Amino acid sequence: MKFTPSAILVFLASASAFAPTAFVPRTALSNQPQASSSSALSMSFTSMVFDVQEVTFADTKETIVKGGRDLFPLLPKAFEGISNIGVIGWGSQAPAQAQNLRDSLKEVGSDILVTIGLRKGSSSFEEAKGCGFTEEDGTLGEMFEVIKQSDLVILLISDAAQAKLYKDIFAAMKPGATLGLSHGFLLGYLDSIGESFSEDMDVIAVCPKGMGPSVRRLYEQGKEVNGAGINSSFAVHQDKSGKATDLALGWGIALGSPFMFETSLRSEYCSDIFGERGILLGAVHGIVESLYRRYQRQGMTPEQAFLESSESITGNIVKIISTKGIKAVYDMLDGEDKKTFQTAYSAAYLPAKEILQEIYDEVSSGNEIRTVIMHGSRIDKYPVGKIDGTDTWIVGEKVRSERDEDKIPLNPFTAGVYVSTMMAQIDVLLEQGHPYSEVVNESVIEAVDSLCPYMHYRGVAFMVDNCSFTAKTGSRKWAPRFDYILDQLAYTAVDNGKPVNEELLKAFEEHPVHAAVEECCKLRPLVDISLFADTSTKEIVIQ
């Protein structure tokens, strides 16, 4: 295939626009520190409102703000100058964030108005009214009217809609207003087309490390224990006012975040879009599909194969990781089970890492963002179907209906494959310079404390079918890659008697991330998420 000189120039210009940007924390821009041996960077910030705390994550020190309802009285100071907060959209995050913000501010007697903004004629008007937002009291309205009157515009419409409407949204914002995001996708899109945010506005992000229903459920559960919720990263992309950091921290505290850690908007979208294609969604989907078939080839019934694959992950392995750390799964095994884990880990780590590195490169280069945008442009002609009609997930429904939680096995082979993929994801992010707080939250905590509990409750297929369009696009694209590479490289290596890679196992046992995960476990919510308790959260179900 040949290219003209002009075509080559266009290609080079496009490639330059999407060139991966090394992650540099805000506080290190003037004097970037040397990365530690793990390649994770140290993070530090200050606040005029909240007490900051220095935490040691493995071999780096980072600054965090620890949340709690006892901090709510500080919210008026953090939101100083804000009279109206417009929450735009009503997808996964918006119902949870709007209600948490409203309830937290009301608890301390603040008169800040939280208003939902929706496109005219949206069916979500009735759902918002069901959560107490009404046009009569000024807490519900047409999105652009709400944007015009808001001092803080929290933009929670879909990624595709943000890419389509950003010019109109920026134009509608009043002078001095702050743009709030919960995902860095829009920055990635603007980078890809050579544009940027308006220079006259503050741009901040608060990104809960879990799906919206988790944010609301844990907030509601935490009322009696000084708070429980989903950890959040925060980013200050533009700070024209000089108050952006405290506003972002106040937003996260009001959502109920147990702790908040700093990132950058670019780092967030790289780690987030990467993570949901990896162990958070796409990889676990591929792992379950591949193990379900493998175990049946070895003579298990379909029901037992599902129990030893999917149920073992969502009902046992992740629960251990949530409270005791990744290595605890390995340490609980002995004898032949430990050898089986070692065999599976050794065989699966490099194949999984190969796919994960490819995903990171696709995300950081902008290719994955283009994929999402192009997929969105085809959606009317090629609607996204559901995956829950295949044998794996039909059997899964039966297994869940007959489940005995006390009899869910800890399958050592499943554990080896799952943990090796999680560790491979951790290593890819560390090698790219992401800080431990972000690495652990995007690779471990979001998986075990938010997404996997929902997978256990409703199934992996349910999560894939009902997640955001961006996440769904990525999971459907990359899950088959994990499935195939594990089947073709990892499992064949095991079946052919390939020796265990002792260096890989030693690296796993001595990995500094274990100390970071243990530290994060100390900061986790005081309660486990309850998926059966009454809640006002919106559970999205695609028919």
Side-chain angles (χ1 to χ4, degrees), residues 507-523:
F508 166 65
E509 292 186 44
E510 299 178 355
H511 203 295
V513 79
H514 298 310
V517 172
E518 289 175 11
E519 192 64 35
C520 285
C521 285
K522 298 174 186 177
L523 298 167

Side-chain angles (χ1 to χ4, degrees), residues 442-463:
E442 292 286 5
S443 304
V444 184
I445 293 176
E446 186 168 356
V448 303
D449 284 339
S450 176
L451 300 184
C452 278
Y454 268 89
M455 292 177 187
H456 195 57
Y457 175 45
R458 299 294 298 268
V460 176
F462 177 86
M463 281 297 304

Side-chain angles (χ1 to χ4, degrees), residues 292 301-308 310-312 392-405 408-409 456:
Y292 176 72
T301 64
E303 292 78 11
Q304 188 65 26
F306 192 86
L307 188 66
E308 300 285 347
S310 185
E311 292 284 282
S312 185
T392 310
W393 313 116
I394 292 173
V395 170
E397 289 284 351
K398 179 183 178 184
V399 172
R400 279 194 298 280
S401 69
E402 301 171 354
R403 176 189 288 156
D404 183 340
E405 292 284 354
I408 296 175
H456 195 57

Side-chain angles (χ1 to χ4, degrees), residues 136-299:
E136 290 74 20
D137 65 6
T139 59
L140 177 63
E142 190 276 329
M143 63 179 287
F144 285 102
E145 289 302 316
V146 173
I147 290 170
K148 289 176 184 178
Q149 69 187 21
S150 297
D151 304 298
L152 170 60
V153 177
I154 299 178
L155 190 62
L156 300 178
I157 58 178
S158 71
D159 293 334
Q162 290 185 30
K164 181 179 180 181
L165 298 174
Y166 74 94
K167 288 184 179 180
D168 295 331
I169 291 167
F170 294 172
M173 291 177 64
K174 64 183 183 181
T178 296
L179 177 65
L181 304 167
S182 283
H183 186 21
F185 185 95
L186 182 56
L187 174 62
Y189 177 71
L190 293 176
D191 282 346
S192 76
I193 58 175
E195 295 194 24
S196 60
F197 296 105
S198 301
E199 294 182 358
D200 60 349
M201 67 170 72
D202 284 1
V203 180
I204 62 175
V206 171
C207 309
K209 300 296 112 178
M211 57 193 292
S214 301
V215 174
R216 183 60 177 170
R217 281 185 178 275
L218 279 168
Y219 177 91
E220 292 172 313
Q221 289 174 237
K223 290 181 178 179
E224 306 303 322
V225 291
N226 192 33
I230 295 294
N231 299 331
S232 295
S233 62
F234 80 95
V236 176
H237 187 70
Q238 292 181 183
D239 187 7
K240 184 176 177 61
S241 70
K243 300 178 180 179
T245 295
D246 285 325
L247 179 56
L249 291 172
W251 173 8
I253 296 297
L255 294 185
S257 301
F259 79 89
M260 299 190 64
F261 59 94
E262 187 187 24
T263 184
S264 73
L265 208 51
R266 284 191 178 86
S267 181
E268 194 286 328
Y269 82 70
C270 281
S271 62
D272 185 76
I273 297 176
F274 165 73
E276 63 195 17
R277 283 145 178 75
I279 200 65
L280 300 182
L281 197 60
V284 70
H285 177 194
I287 288 169
V288 170
E289 292 275 18
S290 67
L291 288 175
Y292 176 72
R293 295 194 309 274
R294 176 176 175 80
Y295 290 153
Q296 287 185 81
R297 291 196 300 268
Q298 293 176 337

